[in-house]
Amino acid sequence: MRPAAELPAEQAELYAVTFYACLVGLIAYLSYIPLFLAIGAPQIAGLNVAVVVLFAVAESFVIRGRIFLGMAIAATWVAGHAWFTALTLGAGAAFQLHVILALELGLLFAYVPLRIRLVYAAIFVSAYVGLVFALSHTTPTVELTRDVTQLLQLLNSAIFAGVTVLIATFYAWSVQKNREAREGLLDRLQDNNETLRVAHAELARARDEAQTASKAKSMFLANMSHELRTPLNAIIGYGEMIQEDADASSNQDLSDQVARICGAGRHLLALINEILDLAKIEAGKMECEATEFELAGVAREVVDTVRPLSESRGNRLAVDIDEAVGRMCTDSTKVRQILLNLMSNAAKFTENGEVSLVVAADERAGRAGVRLEVGDTGIGIPDDKLVHIFDEFSQGDSSTTRRYGGTGLGLAITARFVGMLGGTIDVESEEGQGSRFEVWLPLRLPQAR
Ligand code: ADP
């Protein structure tokens, strides 16, 4: 028997029913053979042998999964046999023989869904009852004595009882199998639950450890950056003094060398400032201070700051600031930093192109806000880098880093600042075509409402 588990649930039930139906037919027709021989109806006995063989063929089809073909063969032969029996023994006897089969099959229907049960019931009832009664006017060729009729009834009852026991056994067996399967599943479920619980506890522990480590790292960075900034400021300060002296005594060589020291020092200081900012954000120590200010003024200041860098790279600056945006009540330092980071990136990564800024009022989901759009026609960002663009230390490929410098921290800080101010940041970019960053900020800092 093909394992029913391989079949879809509905087909598995149909398979089981068809398999047992064919088995019942086989047993029943086999049992009638001696009876028909005894009552002198060898032609029916012969036909029974053929039906038994055909039931075996039908069963072999069912076993190979050709359920409907098996069923069709069995049903056709049962119908033919019913007809022949009616012609030979009379409709009453044929009905007696076949109604038992119909009853047995009816019992089997208990296993299948109602829809299939109804279809089967319709087929069997109309085939057996209809056929036998349609032939009720024909004259039987074999007369049945009272003894033979009683024997026929006895045999039928025995088959009925036997098959009922068979079905009950099958039912009990399948219930037991189901219970075992369910218990097995429950055990596995419990095992899985336990594994999940352990994994969950381990994950929670790992998360706590990671959080503690991250906090410790942020604290360390914050302290270290502070320790580094003080001596670095001293180096830059003293360097500037030496440079002034060198300039005063017209010592050009010394002045150039000290200028390089100061330049490197300032670059280092900018980097340390960014690390300090990020460490502060991660340690939860970065706070927002809301003040009222004119956004247009801040935007113009940033444009003026970026203009020299932009022009030195041959870029045209297109600025469109809607004066109607009016006043914001949020952390102005962070808004300035956001704009400055985006604008200086746009200028840095564009050569002989255009850098643009649009500042406009933009209400979203009923919240008054502003949209800051920074665009450029520069080198653009490849798709695989674009997804990590707001991660710390994420830069373009190494050649970009070598060519343009930078730390890969600017956008990470920008995105975090935008989040702290309750806004959103999006980026669109195409390699070789340019980039467009869009920031939306609420007019008022959320907690300052
Ligand atoms: P960096 O200090 O390296 O500029 P950012 O976080 O500001 O750090 O930027 C990360 C990376 O994103 C840059 O190295 C660059 O590859 C890419 N990028 C950012 N802005 C632009 C832009 N406007 N055009 C092209 N690439 C950009």
Side-chain angles (χ1 to χ4, degrees), residues 274 341-342 345-346 348-349 376 379-381 389 394-396 400 405-412 435 437:
E274 282 187 334
N341 283 355
L342 295 179
N345 271 353
K348 186 165 95 171
F349 293 109
D376 65 63
I379 60 170
I381 306 162
I389 200 81
S394 155
Q395 294 190 305
T400 319
T407 57
L409 286 174
L411 285 181
S435 315
F437 288 81

Side-chain angles (χ1 to χ4, degrees), residues 334-382:
K334 293 192 174 57
V335 175
R336 182 178 288 109
Q337 190 70 45
I338 291 167
L339 269 174
L340 193 65
N341 283 355
L342 295 179
M343 289 290 287
S344 37
N345 271 353
K348 186 165 95 171
F349 293 109
T350 310
E351 223 172 336
N352 300 323
E354 186 179 278
V355 172
S356 63
L357 170 68
V358 175
V359 177
D362 188 351
E363 190 181 299
R364 285 191 190 172
R367 292 176 71 195
V370 289
R371 190 177 71 249
L372 314 172
E373 266 179 56
V374 177
D376 65 63
T377 56
I379 60 170
I381 306 162

Side-chain angles (χ1 to χ4, degrees), residues 130-147:
L131 254 174
V132 172
F133 278 102
L135 295 163
S136 57
H137 296 302
T138 54
T139 329
T141 52
V142 180
E143 277 300 326
L144 293 182
T145 61
R146 218 169 143 261
D147 285 355

Side-chain angles (χ1 to χ4, degrees), residues 146-170:
R146 218 169 143 261
D147 285 355
V148 170
T149 314
Q150 272 173 1
L151 196 64
L152 194 70
Q153 278 166 355
L154 204 71
L155 190 66
N156 270 351
S157 309
I159 293 172
F160 184 64
V163 169
T164 309
V165 169
L166 190 81
I167 292 169
T169 317
F170 166 65

Side-chain angles (χ1 to χ4, degrees), residues 259-280:
R260 251 176 258 143
I261 294 176
C262 289
R266 280 190 208 99
H267 180 72
L268 212 54
L269 191 62
L271 172 61
I272 289 167
N273 280 339
E274 282 187 334
I275 293 179
L276 184 64
D277 274 353
L278 207 62
K280 261 187 168 170

Side-chain angles (χ1 to χ4, degrees), residues 86-161:
L87 284 175
T88 328
L89 296 180
F95 180 71
Q96 264 196 2
L97 281 173
H98 290 92
V99 86
I100 291 297
L101 258 182
L103 275 175
E104 286 150 4
L105 292 168
L107 257 181
L108 281 165
F109 294 150
Y111 292 104
V112 288
L114 186 66
R115 195 166 49 81
I116 300 177
R117 225 180 296 168
L118 287 176
V119 174
Y120 269 68
I123 293 172
F124 280 113
V125 169
S126 41
Y128 291 138
V129 181
L131 254 174
V132 172
F133 278 102
L135 295 163
S136 57
H137 296 302
T138 54
T139 329
T141 52
V142 180
E143 277 300 326
L144 293 182
T145 61
R146 218 169 143 261
D147 285 355
V148 170
T149 314
Q150 272 173 1
L151 196 64
L152 194 70
Q153 278 166 355
L154 204 71
L155 190 66
N156 270 351
S157 309
I159 293 172
F160 184 64

